[in-house]
């Protein structure tokens, strides 16, 4: 089986061919600006038109809340679509192939679960990137809930006196820990704006940079301990551009080690690396 995998993010779209569980081709482009679903779909397919005749199906993982009507932003600050955005329906029309679509972090959670040697583990995948997303696997099943919202753990509020999140709540994990939040704190504290990449590079010699990153890692640690308390998970798998940044995972684990033992939980790096969501898009077809 050859699956065209498509991962839609707020800033980039990744496409790949997955064959027997392996990514054999990969292409990336900036997320098209068009808010028209027909034009948007044409734009993401334009460079890989010659792949379509060779594939059996299409798996999409996307930022946002996925329902049968399409993609809806939980945090509209991170996504520009009019919602619900019927991307799966339009892909079917333009390619004539069967399409399945899942939230990006839910898809990655399923992929990461399939890579575990011990499949009896209950786990969550957390991506720390533009936003903070998640997917939860319990008893070998992706837990989506009746509406499909399950896993939107970036929108668990952990600070009732915190700042407003784009979702409308106060003090969400995403408003403290995401790449967007890190950039906002750093723009506030430095006179000359720097990228998040530069911030991580400065951290070993710059207490301000270190404090911004630690604040994010502390929020993710709190989220992990909350998941342990609420669901008694066995493992957290971490991914995303921030999740994979130099020393970030260590900072999260260090923060968890300072919490009461009963709430501690191991956190490991995603096996799918930066492509966990893309691989997850294809693994929807692997039951
Ligand atoms: C947001 C939300 C989630 C998504 C998460 C990570 C939107 C548009 N997205 O919490 O659905 O899983 O961000 O998304 O509301 P990413 O783009 O950072 O990977
Ligand atoms: Zn929120």
């Amino acid at each position: 089986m050859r699956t065209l995998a498509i991962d839609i993010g707020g800033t980039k779209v990744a496409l790949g061919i997955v064959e027997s569980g392996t990514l054999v081709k990969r292409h990336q482009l900036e997320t098209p600006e068009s808010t028209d679903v027909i034009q948007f779909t044409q734009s993401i397919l334009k460079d890989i038109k010659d792949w379509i005749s060779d594939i059996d199906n299409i798996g999409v993982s996307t930022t946002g809340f996925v329902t049968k009507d399409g993609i809806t932003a939980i945090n509209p600050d991170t996504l520009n679509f009019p919602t619900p955005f019927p991307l799966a329906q339009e892909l079917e029309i333009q390619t004539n192939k069967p399409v399945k679509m899942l939230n990006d972090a839910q898809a990655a959670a399923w992929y990461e679960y399939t890579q575990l040697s011990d499949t009896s583990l209950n786990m969550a995948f957390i991506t720390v990137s533009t936003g903070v997303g998640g997917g939860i696997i319990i008893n070998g099943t992706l837990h989506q809930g009746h509406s499909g919202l399950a896993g939107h753990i970036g929108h668990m509020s952990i600070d009732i006196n915190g700042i407003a999140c784009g979702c409308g709540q106060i003090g969400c994990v995403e408003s403290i820990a995401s790449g967007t939040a890190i950039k906002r704190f750093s723009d506030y504290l430095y006179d000359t704006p720097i990228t998040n990449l530069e911030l991580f590079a400065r951290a070993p010699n710059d207490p301000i940079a270190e404090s911004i990153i630690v604040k994010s890692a502390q929020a993710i640690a709190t989220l992990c301990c909350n998941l342990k308390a609420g669901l008694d998970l066995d493992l957290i798998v971490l991914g995303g551009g921030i999740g994979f940044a130099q020393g970030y995972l260590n900072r999260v684990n260090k923060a968890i080690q300072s919490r009461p033992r009963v709430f501690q939980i191991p956190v490991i790096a995603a096996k799918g690396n930066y492509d966990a969501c893309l691989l997850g898009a294809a693994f929807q077809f692997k039951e």
Side-chain angles (χ1 to χ4, degrees):
M1 185 169 69
R2 284 167 71 85
T3 301
L4 169 62
I6 307 178
D7 175 30
I8 313 279
T11 45
K12 65 152 182 61
V13 174
L15 303 108
I17 300 270
V18 176
E19 201 174 347
S20 309
T22 307
L23 194 59
V24 294
K25 276 187 187 179
R26 194 184 188 286
H27 178 69
Q28 189 170 311
L29 63 149
E30 277 179 24
T31 305
E33 294 206 339
S34 173
T35 53
D36 174 83
V37 73
I38 298 175
Q39 282 173 11
F40 184 92
T41 307
Q42 284 167 346
S43 304
I44 61 174
L45 295 177
K46 76 175 182 325
D47 299 331
I48 54 112
K49 277 217 172 83
D50 54 335
W51 294 5
I52 304 292
S53 57
D54 284 345
I55 56 159
D56 300 298
N57 45 35
I58 301 177
V60 183
S61 65
T62 178
T63 185
F65 174 29
V66 175
T67 66
K68 63 174 180 21
D69 300 322
I71 307 165
T72 298
I74 295 296
N75 180 355
D77 292 352
T78 63
L79 189 69
N80 184 28
F81 298 157
T83 58
F85 196 66
L87 180 65
Q89 289 89 328
E90 187 55 33
L91 274 165
E92 264 178 18
I93 292 168
Q94 292 192 23
T95 63
N96 215 14
K97 302 282 177 184
V99 178
K100 283 191 182 187
M101 186 162 78
L102 263 185
N103 166 268
D104 52 2
Q106 289 177 340
W110 182 244
Y111 171 75
E112 292 296 329
Y113 172 73
T114 65
Q115 304 304 300
L116 295 180
S117 47
D118 181 356
T119 52
S120 71
L121 299 183
N122 291 326
M123 59 156 274
F125 171 82
I126 300 177
T127 173
V128 187
S129 46
T130 312
V132 173
I136 299 166
I137 309 286
I138 294 183
N139 297 335
T141 307
L142 175 67
H143 178 66
Q144 290 182 275
H146 285 135
S147 72
L149 183 71
H152 274 84
I153 51 187
H155 301 284
M156 292 172 83
S157 174
I158 57 169
D159 181 0
I160 52 165
N161 300 311
I163 53 175
C165 178
C167 75
Q169 299 205 98
I170 302 290
C172 288
V173 174
E174 183 163 298
S175 69
I176 305 165
S178 67
T180 313
I182 289 175
K183 179 76 174 108
R184 194 184 326 106
F185 292 133
S186 116
D187 284 352
Y188 179 74
L189 291 173
Y190 290 108
D191 292 336
T192 314
I194 56 168
T195 65
N196 284 349
L197 219 61
E198 287 167 333
L199 187 83
F200 274 85
R202 277 191 192 191
N205 306 309
D206 178 346
I208 294 178
E210 180 62 19
S211 73
I212 295 171
I213 297 167
V214 164
K215 191 175 164 131
S216 163
Q218 287 273 7
I220 296 300
T222 300
L223 173 60
C224 294
C225 295
N226 285 353
L227 289 170
K228 177 70 184 174
L231 299 169
D232 191 14
L233 298 182
D234 304 302
L235 181 70
I236 304 280
V237 179
L238 189 68
I242 300 295
F244 267 104
Q246 177 67 32
Y248 190 83
L249 174 63
N250 286 345
R251 290 176 178 97
V252 172
N253 274 320
K254 198 169 156 209
I256 289 177
Q257 277 151 25
S258 70
R259 309 294 168 93
R261 193 159 198 78
V262 68
F263 304 124
Q264 291 183 14
I265 180 166
V267 185
I268 62 167
K271 302 234 173 38
N273 217 294
Y274 292 100
D275 279 331
C277 297
L278 185 63
L279 285 156
F283 270 63
Q284 292 173 76
F285 291 95
K286 189 177 158 70
E287 297 303 329

